[in-house]
Amino acid sequence: MVAGDLPVKRKIKTEQDFHYQFSSQAASLGRRIYKEHGVELQNLQILKSIYLLYFEKERVVSKISAEQEELLTKTGVEFSVC
């Protein structure tokens, strides 16, 4: 076999063969965000309505509320379009 060649026979795992602990990973991420930024994971839900669109060379950002702006600042996210 030459480097870079894929083996002819390979088995692809089914979804049931993967053993991820999603709930523990989410809890760990939530604790880390709270420890680093003082923000609960569920409080980040308000950021879901922020969007950025590209039209050829133009960029359009959704309106950001005062509450969203405060949360972005608190978490250290710099949100600007140049």
Side-chain angles (χ1 to χ4, degrees):
M1 183 179 334
V2 179
D5 287 347
L6 293 174
V8 176
K9 292 184 180 182
R10 62 184 179 267
K11 183 180 180 205
I12 299 176
K13 290 182 178 183
T14 64
E15 186 177 340
Q16 291 79 19
D17 291 336
F18 289 98
H19 301 287
Y20 295 109
Q21 298 173 347
F22 293 112
S23 59
S24 64
Q25 288 178 356
S28 176
L29 176 62
R31 285 190 301 273
R32 192 169 90 206
I33 289 173
Y34 184 77
K35 182 180 177 182
E36 292 178 12
H37 303 289
V39 177
E40 296 286 341
L41 192 59
Q42 61 268 18
N43 293 346
L44 298 177
Q45 295 294 322
I46 63 168
L47 301 178
K48 289 169 69 172
S49 63
I50 297 174
Y51 57 87
L52 174 64
L53 301 175
Y54 290 92
F55 294 105
E56 296 176 8
K57 295 181 181 180
E58 299 296 320
R59 297 178 188 171
V60 179
V61 179
S62 64
K63 184 174 181 180
I64 298 174
S65 70
E67 186 180 22
Q68 290 170 325
E69 183 69 41
E70 181 182 331
L71 188 55
L72 289 169
T73 302
K74 188 174 184 176
T75 56
V77 175
E78 186 174 316
F79 198 88
S80 63
V81 178
C82 299

